[in-house]
Amino acid sequence: MISFRNVCENDFLMLHNWLRVPHVKEYWYQNESFTYEEIHKKYSKRLKEGIIESYIIQKNKIDIGFIQSYIIDEPAPFLVKDKIKGIDLYIGEVDYVHKGLGKLIINEF
């Protein structure tokens, strides 16, 4: 079963670790290496502002990844006239990669 919970400050170390694993790093911040302090600052700001909604993805109540959603203010490249919502996600736990969970996660989200 896939579920989602809001990111909280206690998750920052886990996010920091996930952003360093090769299968995530390949697509997220390839040319950057964030310190824990930088991750803490980045996600603390997001939690305060509430502009980007950030969630931990869970499979059977086990934290396995991260998903975020946000309003895209420039929808023209997507050939739509109104604002649209974008999402980004990654599965941070290697044991859950290549298991066909991506489609399920998006459908549940």
Side-chain angles (χ1 to χ4, degrees), residues 16-90:
H16 178 251
N17 291 335
W18 284 345
L19 287 168
R20 296 169 41 183
V21 295
H23 71 271
V24 174
K25 185 82 173 153
E26 182 177 355
Y27 299 99
W28 283 66
Y29 307 114
Q30 300 95 339
N31 299 321
E32 298 182 51
S33 292
F34 292 108
T35 64
Y36 171 76
E37 289 76 19
E38 291 168 324
I39 292 295
H40 191 282
K41 182 178 178 181
K42 178 182 187 78
Y43 288 95
S44 291
K45 182 179 177 185
R46 286 185 179 184
L47 292 178
K48 280 183 190 173
E49 293 176 350
I51 296 169
I52 298 175
E53 299 173 14
S54 302
Y55 304 93
I56 298 298
I57 303 164
Q58 295 184 311
K59 172 118 171 87
N60 300 324
K61 299 190 179 188
I62 297 170
D63 297 339
I64 66 164
F66 172 81
I67 190 166
Q68 64 185 15
S69 65
Y70 48 89
I71 299 296
I72 298 173
D73 291 327
E74 295 293 329
F78 301 96
L79 304 175
V80 297
K81 294 179 184 177
D82 297 321
K83 290 183 181 179
I84 58 175
K85 192 170 252 194
I87 63 171
D88 304 309
L89 72 94
Y90 62 78

